Amino acid sequence: MLLNFRLKIIDFMKKHKMKIFIGAIALTIIVLVNIYIGKAREARPPTVSYEPHTPIISGNKVSSKKDQTSIEDSIKQYMDFCNSKNYESAYNLISEDCRREKFNNNIDNFKSYIDYIFDGNKIYSIQDYANKNNVYIYKVIVSEDIMATGMNNEDSDKRYEEKIVLTKDNGDMKLSVGGFISSKNVEYISEDEYMRITVKKITTYYDKVVYEVNIKNKTNYAILFSKRNEKESIGISLDGDLSEEVVENYNKNERCVYGGNENTMNLTFNKYFDEDVNKTSITFNKIRILQEYSGIEENWEEEINNKLVKQYSATISVK
């Protein structure tokens, strides 16, 4: 009986061997596809709710083909001057405001800036990134020119990215680098019995804004805005959305104006140029009026506990 069963199997395989062969191939393909899909799903990053800032490309398109060509030609000319280390020609293409605010009207500062980016043979790409109110932001990516150097190592993957800005003003295109857009003198004032706060200048970059703020102490007391290593002492409200000041080193972030003096501080906040914000205000969250303030860390607790005249917050509208 067992022999007859084996014979039937052998006879079946002989009659249908082509179908069996095709079926085996199909089954193998299905198995391999399922394995691939499973691995792809494992490699896929988890979904998150955070949405990064999306630049506005369509908000204010370049008005003419002529302007588009002028913008791209200006950027290419600037980049080619930088790549060839023609410092003076590149520097002269930059707007006066950008030269003053970013390089302190010093071409040596500009040279250091260019040498950091163009530290060898480079290639670059230009991409339309965002635009608003006749301000056109382009993303420029600078990378190693492998064809020129013949090298392919870890340095080959290094890239530098920055925003180059073209602003149309009275028919002329003004070029700025490092994301710089504009700087304007203003006068926003908030005053009480202890001090006078004056916002004197606003410097706008694509992804941040810097406020120059003057504080005049009207008393003989010390006015402390932030101790070293103290966070969230100064913030900004953008249509009610709050964020704290951008500080490079909190260990050097002490801000105190002593009796009868006045100080000027630059406050930096994250704010994208192409975001529509109707109301902006700066808030000083921890203003402390002190009879004495030494600035010595060991004395902080005693001085704030025993020398405190008043603690409060103050807000000044800047738009």
Side-chain angles (χ1 to χ4, degrees):
M1 185 175 178
L2 182 60
L3 179 61
N4 290 335
F5 179 71
R6 289 178 178 175
L7 291 173
K8 286 180 180 180
I9 292 176
I10 293 171
D11 183 58
F12 177 82
M13 293 181 68
K14 285 181 177 180
K15 288 180 180 179
H16 302 284
K17 60 182 179 180
M18 184 57 68
K19 293 180 181 178
I20 294 171
F21 177 72
I22 293 172
I25 292 176
L27 181 61
T28 301
I29 292 173
I30 291 171
V31 171
L32 292 174
V33 168
N34 285 333
I35 291 173
Y36 173 79
I37 292 173
K39 289 184 177 180
R41 285 175 177 169
E42 289 176 3
R44 187 180 303 159
T47 302
V48 295
S49 59
Y50 169 72
E51 293 183 5
H53 174 74
T54 302
I56 299 174
I57 299 297
S58 59
N60 178 222
K61 293 183 177 180
V62 180
S63 57
S64 69
K65 184 67 176 178
K66 182 179 178 181
D67 283 346
Q68 180 73 34
T69 302
S70 174
I71 289 171
E72 293 179 357
D73 287 347
S74 296
I75 296 174
K76 289 177 182 177
Q77 186 181 32
Y78 169 78
M79 296 298 292
D80 289 340
F81 281 148
C82 293
N83 212 4
S84 62
K85 300 300 179 71
N86 190 340
Y87 300 108
E88 187 170 350
S89 296
Y91 186 71
N92 289 335
L93 289 177
I94 299 173
S95 69
E96 290 183 6
D97 285 349
C98 184
R99 291 201 295 261
R100 181 184 65 251
E101 297 298 330
K102 191 159 182 64
F103 304 108
N104 199 28
N105 284 327
N106 189 327
I107 194 171
D108 289 332
N109 294 337
F110 177 73
K111 288 179 180 179
S112 298
Y113 175 78
I114 295 305
D115 287 341
Y116 173 78
I117 301 171
F118 293 88
D119 59 348
N121 293 299
K122 302 292 182 179
I123 56 175
Y124 60 87
S125 62
I126 303 170
Q127 177 186 343
D128 184 8
Y129 192 75
N131 44 67
K132 180 182 179 182
N133 300 335
N134 289 322
V135 177
Y136 306 98
I137 297 100
Y138 281 72
K139 180 170 72 174
V140 177
I141 298 174
V142 180
S143 56
E144 197 74 24
D145 187 351
I146 300 175
M147 297 297 292
T149 61
M151 298 176 62
N152 188 6
N153 50 38
E154 60 181 17
D155 291 336
S156 304
D157 296 328
K158 289 183 179 179
R159 304 197 315 170
Y160 176 85
E161 179 182 317
E162 79 159 276
K163 305 297 186 297
I164 291 183
V165 179
L166 276 296
T167 305
K168 192 171 185 179
D169 183 22
N170 295 325
D172 296 326
M173 287 291 183
K174 296 182 178 180
L175 185 147
S176 301
V177 299
F180 174 85
I181 291 176
S182 65
S183 181
K184 64 176 181 179
N185 294 324
V186 296
E187 191 176 55
Y188 298 109
I189 299 173
S190 177
E191 188 169 8
D192 60 21
E193 60 183 301
Y194 299 104
M195 62 182 169
R196 177 186 174 98
I197 303 173
T198 306
V199 179
K200 304 184 72 174
K201 185 166 69 173
I202 302 175
T203 303
T204 303
Y205 294 81
Y206 172 69
D207 57 358
K208 66 181 180 181
V209 61
V210 182
Y211 296 92
E212 182 182 301
V213 181
N214 178 267
I215 310 290
K216 183 177 182 179
N217 189 337
K218 298 164 60 177
T219 74
N220 293 322
Y221 300 134
I223 303 178
L224 179 65
F225 295 91
S226 61
K227 302 180 297 181
R228 288 194 300 276
N229 296 314
E230 186 173 48
K231 298 183 179 181
E232 300 181 353
S233 57
I234 302 174
I236 192 170
S237 171
L238 306 173
D239 284 343
D241 292 332
L242 303 175
S243 64
E244 64 177 301
E245 179 193 6
V246 178
V247 177
E248 291 185 3
N249 188 346
Y250 280 100
N251 192 44
K252 299 180 179 179
N253 193 41
E254 182 179 76
R255 290 198 172 99
C256 181
V257 183
Y258 290 93
N261 293 331
E262 61 180 285
N263 291 351
T264 297
M265 57 184 75
N266 290 319
L267 307 179
T268 301
F269 302 95
N270 290 324
K271 179 179 181 295
Y272 287 97
F273 169 74
D274 52 353
E275 288 182 332
D276 289 324
V277 177
N278 296 314
K279 187 176 181 180
T280 304
S281 58
I282 299 172
T283 299
F284 299 88
N285 296 311
K286 299 177 182 178
I287 300 173
R288 283 145 293 191
I289 312 298
L290 297 165
Q291 295 174 348
E292 295 178 11
Y293 181 69
S294 64
I296 300 173
E297 187 171 357
E298 290 77 10
N299 299 338
W300 283 349
E301 186 174 352
E302 179 185 353
E303 289 174 343
I304 291 178
N305 288 339
N306 299 326
K307 306 293 184 180
L308 184 66
V309 176
K310 183 179 181 179
Q311 178 171 329
Y312 66 108
S313 64
T315 298
I316 180 169
S317 176
V318 290
K319 185 177 181 181

